[in-house]
Amino acid sequence: METQSLAGLPLYEIEKILDSLPRFRSEQVYKWISRGASCFNDMTDIPKSLQNEFEQRFKIFSTSFISCNEDGDAKKIIVKTKDGCKIESVLLSDGKNRFTACLSTQAGCPSGCVFCKTGSLGFKRNLDSKEIAEQFLRLLPLSGRESENDSHIIDNIVIMGMGEPLLNLDNLRMAISFFTDTKGLYFSRRRITVSTCGICEGLFDIANNLPFARLALSLTTADETLRSRLMPVTKANPLSKVREALLLFQKNGGGRVTLEAPLLGGINTREKDAASIAKFAKGLDAVVNIIPWNPVSALEFEGKPLLEPEKKEVLDYKHMLENLGLKVTLRLHKGQKIMGACGQLGSV
């Protein structure tokens, strides 16, 4: 019989598992797990005899730890699921003692964006909500930061790792409920951002069933012909419908959205691309986040190797967008040396 793991479970599930004990014991276990405890012996307000009993009956994590690699302000971990899938997640620091956890929702990815390493791996399966939550809990101790006055050790969560989150929406929702539970991690939904390549069914579901989290759309370009060549999901999810869903999301109180523009050297940095994004953004409360493509060997677009954009190319494109009246941010490179930057996950 498989040993029950507890990390990522909601409190009511732990109460069911520990129904023979006083309820406050379940709350203690739940809070310790939410703080990143890796073993029951870390739970110092639980009697030693009970710690030992828990060690015999349960385990904290369902996944097994493989490795951790560091590159300056980025740390990438790899864990293995019970069925052998390798999952990567990243802890990012802004250099000012503020941390962001970048989490995955799938093993591989079915979306097939040509500029993303994960998309080249194919799709294995959705992660369950516990496997999503466990990534965050494993990243907690890597910050080296102590929680003070109930402040968070990790400040933000971005669901921008391996996979397309909106193709695993039920499990993602359960993981977000774990993160936002007032008796546990107590994250504000405004400090959780979910990035999608634009799955209309999921977007309309979110827009009609708020609250959710902050939304980021990997737009790349709003020239639909070029986008469909770069991002095959475009064909089944036309940008007109994606925009309609984002407008509904905001009408229903979902808040500002981020339009992500991964820049591919010589491909989507034209004036036409900037103009298309400006047209798409009209009427939306949006900010455009420029992401210079992080190199991944062997990735090609229509028979030619993908290239990093030149620095001048990036700055010129940024100015084009700004001159069109858009709010623009430029993402800094973090984690390239450990293949932990945007678009590189899966390059072990």
Side-chain angles (χ1 to χ4, degrees):
M1 184 176 177
E2 186 177 331
T3 304
Q4 171 75 58
S5 60
L6 303 183
L9 286 177
L11 176 57
Y12 70 83
E13 289 286 354
I14 293 179
E15 288 173 344
K16 288 179 183 178
I17 293 168
L18 303 181
D19 61 354
S20 63
L21 296 173
R23 185 175 178 179
F24 76 91
R25 291 298 185 201
S26 298
E27 293 178 350
Q28 286 176 317
V29 171
Y30 182 68
K31 286 181 179 178
W32 276 109
I33 289 173
S34 297
R35 294 175 195 165
S38 59
C39 66
F40 294 102
N41 290 335
D42 291 339
M43 302 179 183
T44 54
D45 56 359
I46 294 176
K48 189 67 176 177
S49 60
L50 198 53
Q51 291 178 17
N52 292 337
E53 180 185 334
F54 290 162
E55 288 284 354
Q56 294 297 315
R57 293 176 58 194
F58 310 114
K59 57 185 178 180
I60 301 293
F61 297 112
S62 67
T63 57
S64 56
F65 184 83
I66 295 179
S67 66
C68 174
N69 292 289
E70 185 172 355
D71 173 20
D73 291 332
K75 296 178 182 179
K76 183 177 79 169
I77 63 169
I78 304 175
V79 300
K80 186 167 67 174
T81 63
K82 291 177 290 186
D83 57 349
C85 297
K86 291 183 179 180
I87 308 301
E88 301 182 15
S89 42
V90 183
L91 182 68
L92 300 166
S93 170
D94 66 354
K96 299 178 181 178
N97 209 33
R98 291 191 295 262
F99 295 90
T100 296
C102 179
L103 311 181
S104 299
T105 54
Q106 294 181 313
C109 183
S111 299
C113 300
V114 302
F115 48 84
C116 178
K117 177 60 180 180
T118 310
S120 73
L121 302 177
F123 175 65
K124 295 180 181 177
R125 67 170 175 85
N126 286 330
L127 302 184
D128 65 34
S129 60
K130 292 173 77 278
E131 291 167 329
I132 298 170
E134 281 186 24
Q135 296 170 63
F136 178 87
L137 297 174
R138 286 191 180 277
L139 290 172
L140 273 174
L142 298 184
S143 71
R145 175 178 168 186
E146 297 292 333
S147 177
E148 298 178 1
N149 301 320
D150 296 322
S151 64
H152 287 278
I153 294 174
I154 294 176
D155 303 275
N156 300 287
I157 297 172
V158 293
I159 312 296
M160 298 182 183
M162 303 173 74
E164 167 48 57
L166 299 196
L167 293 177
N168 190 15
L169 190 50
D170 289 343
N171 283 309
L172 175 60
R173 276 200 170 100
M174 286 190 282
I176 290 175
S177 293
F178 176 79
F179 297 141
T180 58
D181 184 8
T182 57
K183 293 185 178 180
L185 286 164
Y186 199 13
F187 254 81
S188 166
R189 290 175 185 269
R190 293 190 299 176
R191 290 166 51 203
I192 302 172
T193 300
V194 175
S195 177
T196 174
C197 57
I199 306 300
C200 291
E201 182 179 357
L203 286 171
F204 278 108
D205 186 317
I206 289 165
N208 286 310
N209 295 284
L210 294 172
F212 185 61
R214 291 189 179 275
L215 265 183
L217 172 68
S218 183
L219 185 56
T220 309
T221 177
D223 173 350
E224 196 142 29
T225 301
L226 176 59
R227 190 177 194 266
S228 66
R229 289 155 57 201
L230 293 167
M231 303 175 69
V233 297
T234 306
K235 295 171 185 176
N237 299 274
L239 287 178
S240 59
K241 281 292 183 183
V242 172
R243 187 172 180 278
E244 182 183 336
L246 293 181
L247 287 168
L248 181 61
F249 175 80
Q250 294 191 329
K251 178 182 177 182
N252 290 344
R256 174 175 288 180
V257 298
T258 299
L259 304 178
E260 296 169 322
L263 293 190
L264 311 168
I267 294 175
N268 66 330
T269 56
R270 307 164 300 173
E271 288 186 22
K272 181 179 180 179
D273 297 297
S276 72
I277 288 179
K279 182 178 179 181
F280 182 90
K282 190 173 182 179
L284 287 169
D285 179 8
V287 60
V288 180
N289 186 205
I290 293 176
I291 309 168
W293 183 69
N294 296 294
V296 179
S297 62
L299 289 191
E300 297 182 343
F301 177 53
E302 299 179 345
K304 296 181 180 180
L306 290 173
L307 300 173
E308 288 184 82
E310 299 288 341
K311 184 176 180 179
K312 182 179 185 303
E313 191 176 4
V314 173
L315 294 177
D316 285 349
Y317 192 72
K318 181 175 183 287
H319 293 149
M320 286 183 216
L321 293 172
E322 289 171 337
N323 289 338
L324 289 165
L326 295 170
K327 300 171 184 174
V328 185
T329 58
L330 177 59
R331 189 176 299 182
L332 299 176
H333 289 298
K334 289 182 185 290
Q336 278 193 354
K337 292 180 181 178
I338 54 172
M339 303 306 286
C342 183
Q344 293 183 323
L345 297 186
S347 304
V348 181

